Amino acid sequence: MASARTVGIGRKNKKKKKKFRTRKICLPDYTTLFQAATMDGRTVFTLAEVASHDNRNDCWLIIEDKVYDVTKFLEDHPGGDEVLLSSTGKDATNDFLDIGHSSAASAMMEEFYVGDIDSSVIPAKGEYIPPKQPLYNQDKTLEFIIKVLQFLAPLVILGLAFGIHIYTKTT
Ligand code: HEM
């Protein structure tokens, strides 16, 4: 009996499935394919997608490979809204760390977390290489000679004048 019922239900389901297949067309969401992908329950954004949220009404930041929607925080941010707006469209990690934000600030960030960034799409930070030649001319010899001459010239003129005066007086 049980097996007969099972067979019956199976047939019904088979019919329903056929109906569904013929009527509904399932297409992938191409927008999400190009903009964001879901991996292990996390949303992974591309830099282009995050960079498009760059204004007062919609402001996203990338800090340590995580994406934060700080739109609602703009007015309350103790450092002001301008700094947050100027940190959009790039990896703002250094900006954030350079300020020396408190642990309270870091704890607040969780509230604004919206996903992760595909770190492979962020341009690598160039390593700073100091110039081999100093940027200014360190050879100060000429400068020194000019300064000495500037000091000596009035003394020489004074000496000459004094000498002429003595000479004319004696003759
Ligand atoms: C989700 C991201 C951020 C959160 C939650 C956040 C939060 C905070 C908080 C709570 C403070 C008060 C001081 C402290 O507790 O450390 C602060 C100050 C400040 N923040 Fe942020 N911040 C964020 C991102 C940024 C970014 C990207 C910049 C870019 C430069 C920035 C610049 C500043 C500045 C300039 C101050 C003022 C520091 C001072 O007056 O000494 N913040 N922020």
Side-chain angles (χ1 to χ4, degrees):
M1 279 293 277
S3 62
R5 261 186 208 160
T6 318
V7 170
I9 291 163
R11 274 182 187 162
K12 262 188 180 176
N13 281 351
K14 225 177 184 181
K15 270 185 187 172
K16 268 186 186 171
K17 262 189 182 173
K18 216 174 184 182
K19 234 179 176 180
F20 171 74
R21 274 187 195 149
T22 48
R23 285 192 182 169
K24 195 171 177 184
I25 303 161
C26 292
L27 285 173
D29 184 354
Y30 288 110
T31 51
T32 55
L33 276 181
F34 289 112
Q35 293 178 345
T38 309
M39 274 161 61
D40 318 324
R42 304 171 299 135
T43 310
V44 181
F45 297 100
T46 62
L47 180 63
E49 163 68 345
V50 179
S52 66
H53 303 267
D54 62 350
N55 57 73
R56 237 165 254 285
N57 303 317
D58 186 14
C59 179
W60 288 16
L61 296 177
I62 301 166
I63 299 166
E64 289 176 330
D65 294 344
K66 287 193 166 73
V67 180
Y68 299 94
D69 179 353
V70 291
T71 315
K72 286 179 187 158
F73 185 54
L74 284 176
E75 280 184 20
D76 300 327
H77 180 233
D81 54 356
E82 286 302 328
V83 280
L84 297 187
L85 287 165
S86 65
S87 299
T88 57
K90 61 172 187 175
D91 183 352
T93 309
N94 286 348
D95 294 357
F96 181 81
L97 295 177
D98 284 351
I99 301 301
H101 280 89
S102 64
S103 50
S106 301
M108 284 174 80
M109 292 167 79
E110 213 167 294
E111 199 184 317
F112 310 114
Y113 172 79
V114 287
D116 295 327
I117 185 81
D118 181 357
S119 50
S120 64
V121 297
I122 303 179
K125 285 172 218 129
E127 200 185 316
Y128 176 70
I129 301 159
K132 280 174 194 159
Q133 289 287 320
L135 291 176
Y136 58 94
N137 183 14
Q138 277 188 330
D139 185 14
K140 297 202 169 157
T141 325
L142 188 71
E143 214 174 296
F144 178 73
I145 292 169
I146 291 170
K147 272 193 179 158
V148 169
L149 284 177
Q150 275 176 343
F151 175 74
L152 285 180
L155 287 179
V156 171
I157 293 166
L158 209 69
L160 271 174
F162 188 69
I164 290 166
H165 176 71
I166 299 289
Y167 178 74
T168 48
K169 234 182 175 185
T170 51
T171 52

